[in-house]
Amino acid sequence: MSDPVAKLPSELDQLPDRDTEETAEWAASLDAVTQAAGPHRAQYLMRRTLQHAEAAGLALPKLLETDYVNTIPTAAEPEFPGDLELESKITAWNRWNAAAMVTRGSRFGVGGHIATFASAAWLYETGFQHFFRGKEGDGSGDQLYIQGHASPGIYARAFLDGRISEQQLDHFRQESGGNGLPSYPHPRRLPWLWEFPTVSMGLGPLSAIYQARFNRYLNGRGIKDTSASHVWAFLGDGEMDEPESTAALALAAREQLDNLTFVVNCNLQRLDGPVRANFKIVQELEAQFRGAGWNVIKSLWGSAWDELFPLDTTGALVRRLREVPDAQFQTYATRDVAYIRQHFFGASAELVQLAGVLSDAKISECFHTSRGGHEARKVYAAYQAALSHKGAPTVILAQTVKGYTLGAGFESKNANHQMKKLTTDEFKGMRDLLGLPIPDSAFADGLVPYGHPGADSPEVRYLQERRAALGGPAPARRVHQVALPAPADRSFAPLLKGSGKQEMATTMAFVRLVKDLMRDKETGKRWVPIVPDEARTFGMESLFPSAGIYSPLGQTYEPVDRDQLMYYKEAKDGQILNEGITEAGAMADFIAAATSYATHGETMIPFYIFYSMFGWQRTGDQMWQLADQLGKGFIVGATAGRTTLTGEGLQHADGHSHLIASTNPASLNYDPAFAYEIAVIVKEGLRRMYGESAPGEDSDVFYYLTVYNEPKVQPAMPEGVEEGIIKGLYRFNQATDLEVAPAAEAPKAQLVASGTAIHWALEAQRLLAADWGVAADVWSATSWGELRREALECDEALLRGEERVPYVTRVLEGAPGPVLAVSDWMRQVPDQISQWVPQDYSSLGTDGFGLSDTRQGARRHFGVDAESIAVATLAQLARRGEVPASAVKEARERYGL
């Protein structure tokens, strides 16, 4: 029978012990302390020893958890530099107006959230008064990722500051009239205030990490000195369950992003109840962040607890705090002192003795209100320590009470996230608690009044003086965009003239174009190539030695392929962001680069290339974040389509990204067939996004291009097709252009294809002419989405009494015969234009799941190959009586369908 206490094997067993007697003495000493003073004393001594070893510079693994107490002792807190009385008044006004705004809005049923800001008010106010740098000082200022549900408090502060009017407060969540305020941080809806959209929870922390990293990238490349910019991300403890929230913690630690601070508001409540009902979220997050290499600061308890901890000579209080689960502690915050004495202090004789010297008032203060996140001194100490820490990012775990100061009906209640208003009596109680000079008569009309001490009051003067000293108002979005000069035409010339007899995939054509554009003297340095690994799949390895891969450490090793022409080169000033296997991280990179024109006043041109299947499908939420943040750049879905990526099969076969992309109003989506189309689209995109945009043209857009890995001979650009390429449709060739053209009276059809499908359509055109005497013209549909967008605009114009004919209708008008649309996408993609096509219309597509096969096998499976197109065209003509029905059956048999 095995020994139940036998020593488990350890990595130390692999290392030689040069003095086993000394080791045994240390172990015996620990055993003696455990036996004589108890395990808690032994634990304390071990931790003290580890602390001493760390201070002495000994490299030892760190503990993942510390006790459930503040990281910064009271004696070590720095002197608070502000006027605490005035800051308390300012915070009180902000609390009041945030609650009033949401309550008044509830008359219209528009909702809103009160409890989140109530818990976090001091976390924000301390930052605004002493830490957050504005954009009117040197550099770019700080970047603030405000927790979405706390937006009413930010509006309330802007109201106090004079940046928002009372009328705007009264139109919270009512934007259609033009004076309203968006529900959450939305740069597209309130672009002078909000910089970063954060309410799609999890994207804020992910973006904050990559924003801090991009700040270093700009600095490393010599584009802008961002050394003074600090990124602050305010998060909820429940939000940390989102996988995106913690997806990049290791990156932040690995690259030593000490320009980044997470502030996690630990009010112990999710949207429906406790975050870790049976556990402790603070301890879990501490272990997670410490394990990832972050500096962790816990600010859990307010000053009322400072009197308790010195009385805890046995450690019983600290042990009890650590063992009580979150849900129970939330209950303590809502129950009377008798309950707390019985259920908390009654857990041990030592705690009963401790409680005997505490007054009911002291116990009530500690358990009901005194939290580290509610005291300016505690918050200031945590923020100062975060900024002082070098070599790693910092997370501050600040404990608060959700719904703090809103009264017993709100504080720590499970339902407070859904509670949208206070009663008049609750507001009066809040007024008395906050000490605000609001008379009862102000409630006479049945509405809670807004409060303001006056534009020349000490509170407002203090607030404005502090912001002036820190570089102006915050949050604030400023755009200093200067149009970039157009790149030289020589960069586009190789694609416009075609590839001659050489075959080239459109993926390679795009990369070749960008490589040439990166050499441009004026704008070349502003390109930001982004790839989530597999750069070689997309033909980007040629960029490695010339542009370099960004790394804050440079290259600390000799690459294995150093003797090769296209070796792997990392550099501190590298231009490429090669992220590893993380589409979410690459997309966060893209957002930071795409909005640098506003964040830093430096226009960058990002292009992000990826397997098209892993773009919109996997990170579509971030595409919306990009649109909301008014980002610009080129997103490139490579190895596109459902049948071009041979052998990979279902999980790599994208037949639907254009359908998803079409839902985003800021995304201009193109499916080019030829290299010259790519050149025209990219040139137009550079003009529209970064050059002189046309009157009424929205420049706050981004481009989604799909490119293919199927090598084809690339033709030279025909004359006069530029407009059609940009608008989305042009005639590539006519049946009369064929070597053996059909007779003039032959049945006619129009084949409209996008992307790689144009090659099938061209082969079908030849089959129809040679085998069936049918004259089919072939059209290149570079953008089904842009055709639809313009057509919808024409429909909307009709409602205003304007007569406009859609471009797709005008271009196809008069083209003889039916229209057959085909692509490597689901039929819904080309069907976007069907209602505006004047001819009989049908489509072919790759609906269903992908499969592993050859290109030809997959296309035959989906019925989109040249033979299938020919048969489908004959079927259309047969329905119109223009060819005999027998021709369809004969064609199916001939082509083996």
Side-chain angles (χ1 to χ4, degrees), residues 180-380:
L181 299 175
S183 52
Y184 303 119
H186 286 303
R188 187 168 284 273
R189 290 302 182 202
L190 203 62
W192 62 268
L193 179 71
W194 299 119
E195 276 198 285
F196 307 107
T198 54
V199 82
S200 189
M201 285 187 279
L203 298 190
L206 179 67
S207 293
I209 290 173
Y210 281 90
Q211 181 65 58
R213 198 268 197 116
F214 189 75
N215 290 359
R216 292 278 175 84
Y217 171 87
L218 288 177
N219 201 61
R221 291 193 54 210
I223 303 263
K224 184 167 187 177
D225 182 359
T226 59
S227 57
S229 289
H230 199 84
V231 178
W232 301 82
F234 288 83
L235 318 167
D237 49 359
E239 180 179 5
M240 300 310 295
D241 281 344
E242 292 284 5
E244 296 88 352
S245 294
T246 55
L249 297 187
L251 166 73
R254 184 171 65 246
E255 299 203 1
Q256 301 180 356
L257 297 181
D258 50 26
N259 60 338
L260 170 68
T261 297
F262 277 15
V263 181
V264 184
N265 179 17
C266 298
N267 54 38
L268 312 186
Q269 288 187 250
R270 292 186 285 107
L271 309 186
D272 279 334
V275 179
R276 288 291 180 272
N278 296 296
F279 306 93
K280 300 190 78 64
I281 186 60
V282 169
Q283 300 300 95
E284 178 183 319
L285 291 177
E286 179 184 30
Q288 197 168 10
F289 278 89
R290 280 180 176 271
W294 287 52
N295 175 45
V296 179
I297 298 173
K298 293 196 288 192
S299 184
L300 308 180
W301 308 113
S303 56
W305 288 83
D306 292 345
E307 299 177 26
L308 269 66
F309 289 121
L311 302 176
D312 183 29
T313 57
T314 66
L317 175 62
V318 172
R319 291 196 298 274
R320 182 65 174 146
L321 289 174
R322 189 167 181 173
E323 70 187 19
V324 173
D326 283 352
Q328 185 61 51
F329 208 90
Q330 183 182 344
T331 300
Y332 293 146
T334 64
R335 301 299 292 269
D336 58 24
V337 172
Y339 180 92
I340 297 170
R341 286 186 182 276
Q342 177 183 352
H343 293 275
F344 182 84
F345 290 101
S348 69
E350 295 95 334
L351 288 175
V352 170
Q353 183 178 2
L354 175 60
V357 301
L358 300 176
S359 67
D360 284 358
K362 176 58 66 177
I363 292 177
S364 177
E365 182 183 10
C366 287
F367 282 81
H368 293 154
T369 62
S370 186
R371 303 289 188 273
H374 294 325
E375 296 189 12
R377 293 180 184 276
K378 303 288 186 185
V379 176
Y380 181 88

Side-chain angles (χ1 to χ4, degrees), residues 343-581:
H343 293 275
F344 182 84
F345 290 101
S348 69
E350 295 95 334
L351 288 175
V352 170
Q353 183 178 2
L354 175 60
V357 301
L358 300 176
S359 67
D360 284 358
K362 176 58 66 177
I363 292 177
S364 177
E365 182 183 10
C366 287
F367 282 81
H368 293 154
T369 62
S370 186
R371 303 289 188 273
H374 294 325
E375 296 189 12
R377 293 180 184 276
K378 303 288 186 185
V379 176
Y380 181 88
Y383 286 4
Q384 188 62 52
L387 290 183
S388 300
H389 187 83
K390 301 302 177 185
T394 293
V395 60
I396 296 170
L397 304 175
Q399 188 161 256
T400 65
V401 173
K402 193 168 185 178
Y404 183 61
T405 73
L406 298 181
F410 263 84
E411 292 179 349
S412 292
K413 292 294 191 291
N414 281 342
N416 60 20
H417 184 77
Q418 281 71 40
M419 298 163 71
K420 311 301 182 187
K421 60 183 178 179
L422 279 72
T423 66
T424 298
D425 287 342
E426 286 173 329
F427 266 112
K428 289 179 179 179
M430 181 182 177
R431 170 201 62 187
D432 297 340
L433 176 66
L434 298 175
L436 294 174
I438 300 174
D440 286 350
S441 59
F443 295 86
D445 62 357
L447 287 177
V448 56
Y450 293 117
H452 199 292
D456 198 40
S457 64
E459 295 96 319
V460 173
R461 288 202 307 271
Y462 180 88
L463 181 156
Q464 293 176 340
E465 288 169 2
R466 291 302 309 142
R467 288 312 315 157
L470 287 167
R477 183 176 181 271
R478 298 287 185 268
V479 177
H480 307 288
Q481 186 170 340
V482 178
L484 297 179
D489 287 341
R490 63 176 177 272
S491 298
F492 303 95
L495 269 60
L496 297 178
K497 71 180 183 181
S499 63
K501 296 182 179 180
Q502 180 185 0
E503 290 188 335
M504 179 172 59
T506 52
T507 297
M508 183 59 68
F510 180 87
V511 172
R512 184 174 297 181
L513 172 62
V514 172
K515 186 176 181 180
D516 288 342
L517 290 169
M518 288 170 62
R519 295 193 184 105
D520 186 85
K521 291 182 179 180
E522 296 290 337
T523 59
K525 69 177 183 179
R526 300 200 172 269
W527 283 87
V528 183
I530 303 167
V531 58
D533 218 15
E534 288 209 69
R536 290 180 175 85
T537 297
F538 310 128
M540 291 178 62
E541 65 269 28
S542 62
L543 295 178
F544 289 168
S546 58
I549 300 166
Y550 169 74
S551 170
L553 300 179
Q555 194 156 38
T556 61
Y557 60 91
E558 182 179 0
V560 67
D561 54 359
R562 183 64 180 86
D563 58 342
Q564 297 179 14
L565 180 63
M566 291 181 281
Y567 65 95
Y568 198 83
K569 176 187 174 183
E570 298 189 71
K572 293 181 179 180
D573 62 349
Q575 194 165 355
I576 304 168
L577 291 173
N578 192 344
E579 286 308 340
I581 306 175

Side-chain angles (χ1 to χ4, degrees), residues 676 717-725 729-731 807:
Y676 68 78
M717 184 175 72
E719 291 186 9
V721 299
E722 289 92 333
E723 180 187 24
I725 292 172
L729 181 66
Y730 68 95
R731 185 168 5 217
Y807 174 81

Side-chain angles (χ1 to χ4, degrees), residues 576-704:
I576 304 168
L577 291 173
N578 192 344
E579 286 308 340
I581 306 175
T582 167
E583 286 85 1
M587 193 62 212
D589 267 334
F590 187 90
I591 293 170
T595 55
S596 181
Y597 72 92
T599 308
H600 293 293
E602 293 288 346
T603 299
M604 307 301 287
I605 311 172
F607 87 88
Y608 165 35
I609 189 167
F610 51 89
Y611 274 99
S612 65
M613 186 66 162
F614 306 140
W616 284 91
Q617 173 172 296
R618 180 166 292 185
T619 57
D621 200 7
Q622 289 177 289
M623 311 292 192
W624 280 93
Q625 181 188 9
L626 169 67
D628 205 4
Q629 204 168 316
L630 289 79
K632 310 166 190 281
F634 296 96
I635 297 176
V636 184
T639 60
R642 188 149 276 166
T643 69
T644 62
L645 191 57
T646 54
E648 290 284 3
L650 187 155
Q651 293 172 326
H652 287 68
D654 176 18
H656 52 278
S657 67
H658 269 285
L659 202 60
I660 305 173
S662 69
T663 65
N664 192 306
S667 180
L668 278 60
N669 311 309
Y670 286 87
D671 187 30
F674 303 117
Y676 68 78
E677 292 178 351
I678 292 173
V680 172
I681 293 165
V682 170
K683 187 175 183 179
E684 169 67 5
L686 290 172
R687 180 204 63 79
R688 178 166 178 172
M689 294 185 290
Y690 304 105
E692 297 294 340
S693 56
E697 186 176 55
D698 185 6
S699 64
D700 295 323
V701 295
F702 59 93
Y703 281 66
Y704 175 55

